Amino acid sequence: MSSTFLGMPARPPRSPYGEGHLRGDQAFPQAAARELGNRQLRDNLHKATRTIRAKRLAVTAELPDWEELRSAGAALKNEAMSRLPELLEQLEAKVTEAGGTVHWARDAAEANALVAELVAATGSREVIKVKSMATQEIGLNEYLESQGVTAHETDLAELIVQLADDRPSHILVPAIHRNREEIRRIFLERIPGVDPDLTSVPAELAAAARAYLREKFMTVPVAVSGANFGIAETGTLSVVESEGNGRMCLTLPKTLITVMGIEKVLPRYADLEVFLQLLPRSSTGERMNPYTTLWTGVTPGDGPQEFHLVLLDNGRTAALADAVGREALNCIRCSACLNVCPVYERVGGHAYGSTYPGPIGAVLTPQLAGTHAAKDDPNASLPYASTLCGACYDACPVKIDIPSLLVELRHQTTERTGRGAEQLAMKAVAAVMGRPKLYRAAQKAAAIGRIAAGRDGTISRLPPPLSGWSESRDTPAPPRRTFRDWYASEEGRRALAAAAEHQDLDETPEGER
Amino acid sequence: MRIGLFATCLGDTLFPDAVRATALLLSRLGHELVFPPDQTCCGQMHLNTGYQREPVPLIRNFAEQFGDTSIDAVVMPSGSCAGCVRHQHMTVADRYGDAALRAGVAAVKDKTYELSEFLVDVAGTVDVGAYFPHRVTYHPTCHSLRMLRVGDKPLRLLREVEGIDLVELPEADACCGFGGTFAVKNAATSSAMLADKLDHVTSTGAAVCTAGDSSCLMHIGGGLSRISSGTRTLHLAEILAATHTAPHALTEAAR
Ligand code: SF4
């Protein structure tokens, strides 16, 4: 390295964006319209989200300190984000001390190659997998496949999606868009040797999957997992799950490879106390999740004898550098915001085109992968995939203000790209609204809209870009007279004076009424 | 109290009945009204669509119109506009404004209220002496509910209305799918949300679906009109303003 300082920045101006399953092939409105056409999907989603919404409400309401817990969760996450480099180095040191090996991956390609190398070193052509968003995000299964390694998902819902050659559509319940009957058919077609008389009773379906998976648990020597939390203080990793299949993967194989997004680090072991309350209640509506597996490095003679931790950036550093992105990184992937989102409930996860769907996906995806690829990058449509109703903010266990973040992202988008005709229209409207005289003139002009109305006083067809609106809604014709005209009129003055004279209600003593 | 009435651009231009009802109601309750004639719009549509530079003059104008210290409270028949003034104007002022704008916004935002909040929290009135003998269902709009946290204030006001038959709206707190430009940008999704809201509204058999926001009512009402439902929409203020001596047209028609 030259010792002369040439005035060039030592680092690139910004960290690279992430890649992998973080961009769909259609803008949200088109993808949503496609999904809306699927009646079965909408029914499945409605039923599932409704059930889980009610469960979550019940178990969060019973904790008197739920709001304080949320604040504590938010504070701990904020602390972790503000100390990220330091905490990650501490985590690395502690994992290494405990006999594990830490690897750093800048992006999806690096992470995939790392994992593939580690698997190749074991000589195995198969891995069993614990459900993991990080490996979904980087497309690990597909990459391993291309290297001749078969990855077996062991989470029931993830298995369903994998067997059906489908994509996950929910953070927690990847097969939420499928009902029992569909699952039965998938199993009959794809599980070798399955009982041809299999019914769609959940217990039977689970048993069929269990028989299939048990064989994998006993024979495959390598497991790949994600991590819900990584504790800097002790080097402890943790996976939280409901089925116990994850624990099988985390304890039975000889080699365990964990791919963890760098934002999953927490400062202290004691911090788990907060998150192990927040996560299950928000996510599955359970008071406690059935299986929490914690491991620290390796223990000779017990569990995996080789442990690798792959720390994944893939756009997270870029997100961290942005105030919006930083807050979005606090997400603990509980999926509560998906389950309360009225948009998600109608269109499902595939419409978002990313591993991260729903409200948080609409914030996180553009942050991780950028909206830079093209003018009509599908990711640029995601911040608009919300009515800003605020249900997600209320539900989020770490108080991520998703609506405000969406508004901020919209602003960044319009600032960066401009929005053509829309921006011109917005400018024009602002120019009128900012000048009272022009505004009054425009109101007069609007009244001409009465001509467009039918005899019933409603407008049932509007020109583009408003035609989407008029497909399902009538619009009232502008009334003859604005409020301000009435207020300034003799009639208005008299009506208001008369109303004021009847102000008896609150002034009259009780007895005289 | 001396109240600055903000008509909102939508109310002033498209739904003057709701603003008129607000004005009559506040006068009837003994408040002094001021209507700054140069008021226009709070800029909510711009802000929520992603434009923060453009509405700067609107926000400045709003702060100027209602900045007068003799105005005790700024009241508007819209939860989303009140939410915009209270929670979003400062974001813009911080980013693009000068010290004067920031001071102006700060002074106005803290005295800004949506109608039901003003009545219950500030004026301390629950019974406004209204008379409205019809079956009514109430839709809590998202911004009132989650941005302003009006809670059950509108319902407390409605429960005191004489003659009213108040029926609960199933899944009331679900968004109707309007979302400003969302209804245009994501028209198909918005329509799907609206369809469910309409089912719930018509299932109540109510003659009137009411809310504290003309924009959401425009959405729901536009849908009800399209399916030729027997239910119509009325702003909360129109119900609260109706009395025996000045009944609502709906009541007069029924007589
Ligand atoms: S944003 Fe909040 S509610 Fe949504 S998945 Fe993340 S932690 Fe859960």
Side-chain angles (χ1 to χ4, degrees):
Chain A
M1 207 193 217
S2 151
S3 58
T4 325
F5 178 65
L6 296 174
M8 296 293 283
R11 282 176 295 151
R14 62 179 312 292
S15 313
Y17 281 119
E19 43 188 73
H21 292 164
L22 291 170
R23 177 172 279 105
D25 44 18
Q26 262 182 324
F28 185 83
Q30 284 77 47
R34 178 191 71 213
E35 301 294 315
L36 279 164
N38 184 345
R39 186 73 239 184
Q40 181 71 62
L41 173 95
R42 263 165 82 183
D43 289 349
N44 295 352
L45 282 170
H46 180 67
K47 228 174 124 196
T49 55
R50 243 178 81 126
T51 312
I52 198 161
R53 274 203 296 269
K55 271 178 80 182
R56 183 187 63 85
L57 276 182
V59 298
T60 55
E62 68 188 17
L63 281 193
D65 61 345
W66 181 248
E67 288 310 313
E68 285 80 7
L69 270 173
R70 287 177 76 209
S71 302
L76 288 171
K77 276 302 214 175
N78 286 336
E79 183 197 343
M81 291 314 132
S82 64
R83 297 174 52 203
L84 201 57
E86 169 201 339
L87 291 175
L88 288 170
E89 279 174 22
Q90 193 186 357
L91 178 69
E92 179 181 33
K94 289 292 170 182
V95 169
T96 312
E97 217 171 88
T101 312
V102 176
H103 313 260
W104 298 74
R106 241 175 319 190
D107 53 26
E110 272 190 19
N112 285 334
L114 260 166
V115 175
E117 258 171 53
L118 293 170
V119 175
T122 68
S124 175
R125 312 299 285 167
E126 285 177 288
V127 300
I128 45 177
K129 285 198 64 215
V130 184
K131 181 182 161 348
S132 142
M133 297 306 289
T135 62
Q136 273 295 344
E137 172 189 325
I138 61 178
L140 179 66
N141 291 8
E142 294 88 331
Y143 182 78
L144 288 178
E145 203 69 62
S146 75
Q147 303 298 304
V149 174
T150 309
H152 303 285
E153 291 291 350
T154 65
D155 172 84
L156 189 50
E158 202 74 67
L159 174 68
I160 294 165
V161 169
Q162 192 184 31
L163 290 175
D165 292 325
D166 198 356
R167 285 179 304 139
S169 65
H170 189 277
I171 291 178
L172 185 78
V173 203
I176 196 168
H177 57 297
R178 300 285 193 170
N179 64 18
R180 283 192 247 150
E181 185 45 39
E182 292 174 278
I183 294 165
R184 184 184 78 96
R185 266 183 273 129
I186 294 166
F187 280 10
L188 280 177
E189 271 173 36
R190 292 301 178 93
I191 297 185
V194 78
D195 176 4
D197 295 330
L198 181 71
T199 72
S200 62
V201 174
E204 264 195 51
L205 293 171
R210 187 175 301 141
Y212 169 78
L213 289 172
R214 192 154 290 173
E215 194 227 311
K216 304 291 171 206
F217 292 139
M218 302 313 292
T219 57
V220 179
V222 186
V224 177
S225 84
N228 289 97
F229 309 104
I231 308 297
E233 179 186 45
T234 56
T236 305
L237 278 297
S238 155
V239 162
V240 172
E241 39 127 14
S242 298
E243 293 167 1
N245 292 341
R247 175 167 291 177
M248 296 281 214
C249 300
L250 295 164
T251 51
L252 289 175
K254 283 207 204 53
T255 303
L256 171 60
I257 304 166
T258 297
V259 181
M260 179 185 116
I262 53 173
E263 83 283 16
K264 299 282 185 180
V265 70
L266 289 177
R268 292 156 295 263
Y269 196 83
D271 301 337
L272 284 173
E273 179 254 343
V274 172
F275 292 101
L276 292 181
Q277 294 187 72
L278 287 174
L279 185 53
R281 286 184 197 255
S282 306
S283 151
T284 48
E286 291 167 305
R287 296 188 177 94
M288 198 175 160
N289 63 287
Y291 297 88
T292 303
T293 308
L294 303 171
W295 71 98
T296 312
V298 293
T299 308
D302 185 17
Q305 295 302 294
E306 217 183 299
F307 170 57
H308 295 275
L309 175 64
V310 178
L311 292 173
L312 175 72
D313 184 333
N314 205 36
R316 286 162 176 77
T317 311
L320 191 71
D322 178 291
V324 179
R326 178 172 291 209
E327 194 175 341
L329 287 181
N330 285 356
C331 171
I332 59 172
R333 313 280 189 265
C334 74
S335 73
C337 58
L338 277 63
N339 298 328
V340 299
C341 176
V343 173
Y344 178 89
E345 186 187 330
R346 303 315 188 292
V347 304
H350 293 161
Y352 297 80
S354 156
T355 294
Y356 304 106
I360 188 60
V363 177
L364 198 56
T365 301
Q367 281 296 308
L368 289 178
T371 56
H372 59 302
K375 193 165 181 293
D376 48 3
D377 185 341
N379 279 355
S381 66
L382 291 178
Y384 297 91
S386 165
T387 63
L388 308 176
C389 82
C392 48
Y393 184 21
D394 278 11
C396 179
V398 290
K399 291 195 170 172
I400 301 176
D401 184 354
I402 297 174
S404 297
L405 296 185
L406 288 169
V407 167
E408 183 58 35
L409 280 182
R410 292 175 186 187
H411 172 66
Q412 289 181 11
T413 305
T414 59
E415 281 289 290
R416 199 172 44 245
T417 62
R419 301 304 284 178
E422 180 186 281
Q423 189 161 40
L424 288 179
M426 287 288 170
K427 281 206 160 93
V429 171
V432 172
M433 298 282 200
R435 293 179 187 75
K437 260 194 208 130
L438 280 182
Y439 174 68
R440 283 190 289 268
Q443 283 187 320
K444 297 233 155 60
I448 299 172
R450 298 176 64 78
I451 300 167
R455 232 173 305 156
D456 56 354
T458 63
I459 301 169
S460 53
R461 226 193 245 150
L462 289 165
L466 299 174
S467 43
W469 164 274
S470 58
E471 252 161 49
S472 53
R473 314 133 181 109
D474 290 335
T475 311
R480 231 173 275 281
R481 190 150 68 161
T482 60
F483 170 76
R484 68 181 62 217
D485 284 347
W486 174 84
Y487 186 87
S489 71
E490 187 52 35
E491 182 196 337
R493 260 196 295 275
R494 258 190 278 125
L496 285 167
E501 270 169 32
H502 287 99
Q503 55 164 281
D504 42 58
L505 289 149
D506 283 332
E507 318 284 308
T508 323
E510 274 295 310
E512 292 171 29
R513 274 193 197 166
Chain B
M1 288 176 88
R2 197 169 143 86
I3 293 174
L5 176 65
F6 179 52
T8 80
C9 62
L10 191 75
D12 189 10
T13 313
L14 268 188
F15 299 97
D17 289 352
V19 195
R20 187 152 49 215
T22 307
L24 291 170
L25 172 65
L26 291 170
S27 298
R28 192 176 87 213
L29 295 174
H31 300 288
E32 182 193 346
L33 281 191
V34 207
F35 184 83
D38 282 348
Q39 61 174 278
T40 60
C41 162
C42 69
Q44 185 193 168
M45 179 181 75
H46 287 87
L47 283 169
N48 286 347
T49 313
Y51 297 87
Q52 295 194 9
R53 257 176 228 280
E54 291 75 2
V56 171
L58 279 63
I59 293 169
R60 196 182 300 279
N61 185 50
F62 186 90
E64 278 167 13
Q65 295 305 312
F66 295 99
D68 189 337
T69 48
S70 76
I71 294 178
D72 301 311
V74 184
V75 178
M76 56 200 73
S78 164
S80 59
C81 299
C84 178
V85 172
R86 272 221 311 256
H87 299 290
Q88 295 178 287
H89 276 191
M90 205 40 132
T91 309
V92 178
D94 277 341
R95 184 171 269 159
Y96 297 116
D98 43 32
L101 182 60
R102 284 197 297 278
V105 166
V108 174
K109 83 182 176 67
D110 290 336
K111 60 176 182 183
T112 290
Y113 302 94
E114 172 271 346
L115 178 62
S116 74
E117 293 183 295
F118 172 79
L119 293 174
V120 176
D121 289 348
V122 185
T125 324
V126 185
D127 184 352
V128 297
Y131 168 69
F132 191 77
H134 304 280
R135 178 178 276 223
V136 174
T137 196
Y138 168 72
H139 165 68
T141 63
C142 299
H143 283 82
S144 308
L145 201 61
R146 304 198 185 87
M147 210 176 201
L148 294 179
R149 308 262 166 217
V150 300
D152 67 346
K153 283 160 210 163
L155 283 170
R156 282 163 67 193
L157 290 160
L158 284 169
R159 277 188 215 117
E160 297 302 323
V161 172
E162 191 189 336
I164 200 167
D165 173 15
L166 196 59
V167 282
E168 198 182 319
L169 179 64
E171 294 186 31
D173 58 4
C175 174
C176 72
F178 176 58
T181 46
F182 176 84
V184 177
K185 285 180 189 281
N186 283 287
T189 310
S190 168
S191 295
M193 292 163 70
L194 176 63
D196 291 341
K197 182 58 73 179
L198 296 181
D199 280 350
H200 292 312
V201 169
T202 49
S203 79
T204 62
V208 167
C209 172
T210 189
D213 247 292
S214 292
S215 52
C216 307
L217 287 175
M218 174 175 77
H219 190 231
I220 298 172
L224 288 170
S225 156
R226 182 60 58 91
I227 60 169
S228 306
S229 143
T231 312
R232 58 171 294 187
T233 48
L234 274 188
H235 194 282
L236 177 69
E238 294 181 70
I239 294 178
L240 298 181
T243 60
H244 278 286
T245 43
H248 189 272
L250 206 62
T251 311
E252 280 176 337
R255 273 178 182 168

